[in-house]
Amino acid sequence: MGEDRHILRAVWEGRIPVAFTLAHDESESPNPPEPYFLLVPRLSYFPIVSDKVSRHFSRFLSPTVQPEMWLEYQGQPLKWHYPIGVLFDLYAADDSLPWTLTVHFQNFPESELLHCQSREVVESQFMSTIKEADALKHRCQVMNSMQKRDHKQLWNGLRNDKFDEFWAINRKLMEQTDEGPFRYIPFRIYQLDKPFIQKLVKPVNEDGKPATLENLIETVSSDIKKDFSKSISRLLIQGIELPWQTPLLWLSENFSHPDNFLHICVRS
């Protein structure tokens, strides 16, 4: 993977400008507060980067409000456990920047979002997903061989936006073992108003040739393939439309999120 380190760093450094605005009916001030602007990492999660946003708007709230911040985009509550870049690619990739989000502290949408009271909840979810990815790739052998401080370094690297700190450990999860390449490619495909798709797909086809992005889509959904062929849909990985003949193993090694999953968004 050494020769592709510049790709890993370029993916890591992806940013999205966001304008956070407080819901107009939640402000106690006669004058609406100014938006709060942040340049956020695509690979991170909103609860990691939004502490300053919460503090900025909390002084405009009623003293009786017990704030649990949640975000909305054009009426759509945003799932905090999805990476920020995935949310943007799924809902707003074709919109102008900055990405304008509405901040709420009331009327939590219980049926649509999970509660997130602390960063420890995010850490737990993140580490659980990495372990799932390693189960698919290496039968959990790599994560089980690591020490607790290695797991903590993965989380701290993501939380503090430290590329070298994160990849010093994560490279072990991207290496082949004595059994060969990954058993399966960890991926999730997202479409509007549908649950994400996740299936077992190997990095090598039955004929022994490397599987490609096109092979994955054919295996997962003939409807997505048809829509793409008719130019009705397009696929975004890390905000980029990649050639369909791109090898899956290379994609997994270089374009996965820190949770070690390839997150693929279908845009219509």
Side-chain angles (χ1 to χ4, degrees), residues 13-264:
E13 292 177 351
R15 298 292 188 268
I16 300 170
V18 180
F20 297 89
T21 61
L22 182 63
H24 65 85
D25 59 344
E26 295 188 24
S27 174
E28 290 291 304
S29 172
N31 300 313
E34 293 293 321
Y36 194 88
F37 295 90
L38 280 178
L39 194 62
V40 300
R42 289 183 57 93
L43 299 182
S44 192
Y45 299 84
F46 275 121
I48 296 178
V49 301
S50 57
D51 281 355
K52 292 180 179 179
V53 178
S54 179
R55 289 196 296 269
H56 173 72
F57 290 122
S58 61
R59 55 199 172 98
F60 297 97
L61 304 177
S62 167
T64 61
V65 172
Q66 298 295 322
E68 178 178 358
M69 195 178 84
W70 58 279
L71 301 173
E72 170 204 319
Y73 176 66
Q74 295 185 352
Q76 174 64 54
L78 298 180
K79 293 179 170 61
W80 63 261
H81 56 289
Y82 284 13
I84 293 172
V86 172
L87 292 168
F88 179 78
D89 290 348
L90 185 61
Y91 295 114
D94 298 321
D95 296 350
S96 59
L97 296 174
W99 188 21
T100 301
L101 302 181
T102 303
V103 178
H104 292 273
F105 293 90
Q106 302 176 28
N107 303 315
F108 189 89
E110 301 279 353
S111 62
E112 297 185 70
L113 299 183
L114 301 173
H115 285 279
C116 181
Q117 302 285 2
S118 68
R119 285 189 177 182
E120 286 72 22
V121 176
V122 187
E123 180 181 3
S124 177
Q125 182 274 334
F126 173 69
M127 294 308 303
S128 175
T129 308
I130 286 187
K131 291 175 182 177
E132 181 182 353
D134 189 44
L136 291 168
K137 292 191 289 188
H138 306 118
R139 306 180 193 271
C140 293
Q141 293 175 358
V142 179
M143 287 296 289
N144 288 342
S145 68
M146 290 182 182
Q147 299 184 19
K148 187 175 181 179
R149 67 171 180 266
D150 297 326
H151 293 182
K152 204 69 179 178
Q153 185 169 331
L154 286 169
W155 166 246
N156 287 335
L158 171 67
R159 185 189 65 178
N160 299 321
D161 194 23
K162 300 294 186 182
F163 173 84
D164 292 325
E165 180 180 352
F166 177 83
W167 272 99
I169 303 300
N170 194 62
R171 63 177 178 79
K172 301 175 185 177
L173 293 163
M174 292 297 176
E175 293 173 346
Q176 299 186 22
T177 65
D178 295 337
E179 297 182 10
F182 302 162
R183 294 170 60 239
Y184 301 103
I185 299 294
F187 74 92
R188 290 172 179 171
I189 296 179
Y190 302 82
Q191 303 173 82
L192 288 176
D193 303 320
K194 295 180 180 179
F196 64 71
I197 301 172
Q198 182 175 334
K199 293 185 178 181
L200 296 178
V201 175
K202 295 182 177 181
V204 178
N205 290 325
E206 292 182 358
D207 59 6
K209 295 180 180 179
T212 64
L213 178 59
E214 182 176 18
N215 296 143
L216 182 146
I217 297 302
E218 289 173 341
T219 301
V220 168
S221 174
S222 58
D223 290 338
I224 295 176
K225 178 68 182 297
K226 290 176 183 176
D227 288 346
F228 184 86
S229 300
K230 297 176 183 177
S231 299
I232 297 175
S233 296
R234 59 196 182 102
L235 302 184
L236 295 177
I237 303 175
Q238 298 288 4
I240 300 170
E241 291 186 69
L242 292 162
W244 277 48
Q245 295 309 309
T246 306
L248 270 185
L249 182 60
W250 184 88
L251 271 179
S252 184
E253 292 173 337
N254 293 280
F255 274 74
S256 290
H257 278 253
D259 64 9
N260 277 238
F261 271 79
L262 268 178
H263 295 276
I264 305 169

